[in-house]
Each structure stands twice: as structure tokens, then as C-alpha cells.
Amino acid sequence: MDPDAVAKAFVEHYYTTFDANRAGLANLYQDGSMLTFEGQKIQGSQSIVAKLTSLPFQQCQHSITTVDCQPSGAGGMLVFVSGTLQLAGEQHALKFSQVIIFSLTFFFISI
């Protein structure tokens, strides 16, 4: 299995789902998953999805610039994503970066 292909497929699925239906991301998280968003640590699938769905915008479109990945040990992967986020009604896109660490047993996502 090609780690780059796995990372790119995951990233495409994640951001397509985020842009269309953030609540649909729940199945990508587990009880031990953690999201760090602007210094706030949020743990567990329900809490993470509650945070993502409470963000102060309803529609957005991610445009991915880079997806860099490498093995993280114990069967996991470290994925660095960067790109832009276009919010509905806004003229200028926002730059973003995200680090995703995942394995067969958990996801840890930091924004």
C-alpha cells in the first residue's frame, strides 16, 4: 500500500465531507481521538463534531495545495496538509494548515 496514495485519498475524503456535511466526519473519529483547534483540546467523536459544526460559517470550500506524509511508527501515518479555505460571501480565501496523525486505532487532528 502506497502511503502517499492513502494520505491523498484520506485528505480528499476528509475535506470533501467537511465542505459538504461536517457532521459526516463523525465516523472518522473515535472516543480517544483528539482535535486541537486554536489551543483548545477537544476529545471524542461527538465533542469534535460538535466543535466543527459550531464554527461560525455554514459553507466553505477547501482547496488543497500540499499533502505530505510519512510513517509515524506502529502502523500510523503523519500527514501535513496546507491550502486555502474559501468562505461563502468572502472575497479572499484564508490560508490553512493541518497536521493529521492516524493509525488503525485512532485519529489525532490538530488545526
Side-chain angles (χ1 to χ4, degrees), residues 85-94:
L85 172 65
Q86 183 67 51
L87 300 178
E90 295 293 326
Q91 183 178 4
H92 301 287
L94 304 169

PDB file of all heavy atoms in Angstrom, residues 85-94:
ATOM      1  N   LEU A  85      -8.940  28.104   2.242  1.00  0.00           N
ATOM      2  CA  LEU A  85     -10.324  27.889   2.639  1.00  0.00           C
ATOM      3  C   LEU A  85     -11.115  29.097   2.184  1.00  0.00           C
ATOM      4  O   LEU A  85     -10.847  30.227   2.628  1.00  0.00           O
ATOM      5  CB  LEU A  85     -10.407  27.721   4.164  1.00  0.00           C
ATOM      6  CG  LEU A  85     -11.791  27.676   4.792  1.00  0.00           C
ATOM      7  CD1 LEU A  85     -12.549  26.449   4.337  1.00  0.00           C
ATOM      8  CD2 LEU A  85     -11.665  27.691   6.305  1.00  0.00           C
ATOM      9  N   GLN A  86     -12.051  28.884   1.281  1.00  0.00           N
ATOM     10  CA  GLN A  86     -12.896  29.972   0.789  1.00  0.00           C
ATOM     11  C   GLN A  86     -14.243  29.912   1.498  1.00  0.00           C
ATOM     12  O   GLN A  86     -14.944  28.901   1.410  1.00  0.00           O
ATOM     13  CB  GLN A  86     -13.112  29.846  -0.726  1.00  0.00           C
ATOM     14  CG  GLN A  86     -13.909  30.974  -1.331  1.00  0.00           C
ATOM     15  CD  GLN A  86     -13.171  32.308  -1.284  1.00  0.00           C
ATOM     16  OE1 GLN A  86     -12.026  32.393  -1.698  1.00  0.00           O
ATOM     17  NE2 GLN A  86     -13.820  33.332  -0.757  1.00  0.00           N
ATOM     18  N   LEU A  87     -14.573  30.963   2.226  1.00  0.00           N
ATOM     19  CA  LEU A  87     -15.861  31.030   2.921  1.00  0.00           C
ATOM     20  C   LEU A  87     -16.882  31.698   2.019  1.00  0.00           C
ATOM     21  O   LEU A  87     -16.550  32.619   1.262  1.00  0.00           O
ATOM     22  CB  LEU A  87     -15.721  31.818   4.223  1.00  0.00           C
ATOM     23  CG  LEU A  87     -14.741  31.252   5.247  1.00  0.00           C
ATOM     24  CD1 LEU A  87     -14.663  32.160   6.463  1.00  0.00           C
ATOM     25  CD2 LEU A  87     -15.123  29.845   5.641  1.00  0.00           C
ATOM     26  N   ALA A  88     -18.107  31.239   2.081  1.00  0.00           N
ATOM     27  CA  ALA A  88     -19.186  31.805   1.274  1.00  0.00           C
ATOM     28  C   ALA A  88     -19.338  33.289   1.581  1.00  0.00           C
ATOM     29  O   ALA A  88     -19.328  33.698   2.745  1.00  0.00           O
ATOM     30  CB  ALA A  88     -20.492  31.071   1.561  1.00  0.00           C
ATOM     31  N   GLY A  89     -19.408  34.093   0.529  1.00  0.00           N
ATOM     32  CA  GLY A  89     -19.597  35.525   0.701  1.00  0.00           C
ATOM     33  C   GLY A  89     -18.331  36.321   0.950  1.00  0.00           C
ATOM     34  O   GLY A  89     -18.380  37.547   1.043  1.00  0.00           O
ATOM     35  N   GLU A  90     -17.200  35.646   1.084  1.00  0.00           N
ATOM     36  CA  GLU A  90     -15.929  36.333   1.327  1.00  0.00           C
ATOM     37  C   GLU A  90     -15.144  36.434   0.028  1.00  0.00           C
ATOM     38  O   GLU A  90     -15.102  35.487  -0.759  1.00  0.00           O
ATOM     39  CB  GLU A  90     -15.100  35.591   2.375  1.00  0.00           C
ATOM     40  CG  GLU A  90     -15.720  35.564   3.746  1.00  0.00           C
ATOM     41  CD  GLU A  90     -15.775  36.931   4.399  1.00  0.00           C
ATOM     42  OE1 GLU A  90     -14.866  37.752   4.179  1.00  0.00           O
ATOM     43  OE2 GLU A  90     -16.742  37.176   5.138  1.00  0.00           O
ATOM     44  N   GLN A  91     -14.498  37.577  -0.169  1.00  0.00           N
ATOM     45  CA  GLN A  91     -13.744  37.791  -1.398  1.00  0.00           C
ATOM     46  C   GLN A  91     -12.408  37.050  -1.397  1.00  0.00           C
ATOM     47  O   GLN A  91     -12.002  36.495  -2.412  1.00  0.00           O
ATOM     48  CB  GLN A  91     -13.507  39.282  -1.601  1.00  0.00           C
ATOM     49  CG  GLN A  91     -12.780  39.621  -2.887  1.00  0.00           C
ATOM     50  CD  GLN A  91     -12.608  41.121  -3.062  1.00  0.00           C
ATOM     51  OE1 GLN A  91     -12.962  41.904  -2.202  1.00  0.00           O
ATOM     52  NE2 GLN A  91     -12.056  41.510  -4.191  1.00  0.00           N
ATOM     53  N   HIS A  92     -11.730  37.021  -0.254  1.00  0.00           N
ATOM     54  CA  HIS A  92     -10.390  36.449  -0.170  1.00  0.00           C
ATOM     55  C   HIS A  92     -10.409  35.112   0.575  1.00  0.00           C
ATOM     56  O   HIS A  92     -11.091  34.970   1.593  1.00  0.00           O
ATOM     57  CB  HIS A  92      -9.431  37.409   0.535  1.00  0.00           C
ATOM     58  CG  HIS A  92      -9.317  38.728  -0.169  1.00  0.00           C
ATOM     59  ND1 HIS A  92      -8.639  38.879  -1.350  1.00  0.00           N
ATOM     60  CD2 HIS A  92      -9.819  39.947   0.137  1.00  0.00           C
ATOM     61  CE1 HIS A  92      -8.713  40.130  -1.748  1.00  0.00           C
ATOM     62  NE2 HIS A  92      -9.435  40.812  -0.852  1.00  0.00           N
ATOM     63  N   ALA A  93      -9.644  34.161   0.062  1.00  0.00           N
ATOM     64  CA  ALA A  93      -9.521  32.862   0.719  1.00  0.00           C
ATOM     65  C   ALA A  93      -8.557  32.975   1.906  1.00  0.00           C
ATOM     66  O   ALA A  93      -7.646  33.800   1.905  1.00  0.00           O
ATOM     67  CB  ALA A  93      -9.009  31.819  -0.271  1.00  0.00           C
ATOM     68  N   LEU A  94      -8.779  32.132   2.905  1.00  0.00           N
ATOM     69  CA  LEU A  94      -7.900  32.050   4.074  1.00  0.00           C
ATOM     70  C   LEU A  94      -6.916  30.909   3.876  1.00  0.00           C
ATOM     71  O   LEU A  94      -7.290  29.847   3.380  1.00  0.00           O
ATOM     72  CB  LEU A  94      -8.729  31.787   5.336  1.00  0.00           C
ATOM     73  CG  LEU A  94      -9.842  32.780   5.633  1.00  0.00           C
ATOM     74  CD1 LEU A  94     -10.735  32.235   6.746  1.00  0.00           C
ATOM     75  CD2 LEU A  94      -9.257  34.127   6.002  1.00  0.00           C
TER      76      LEU A  94
END
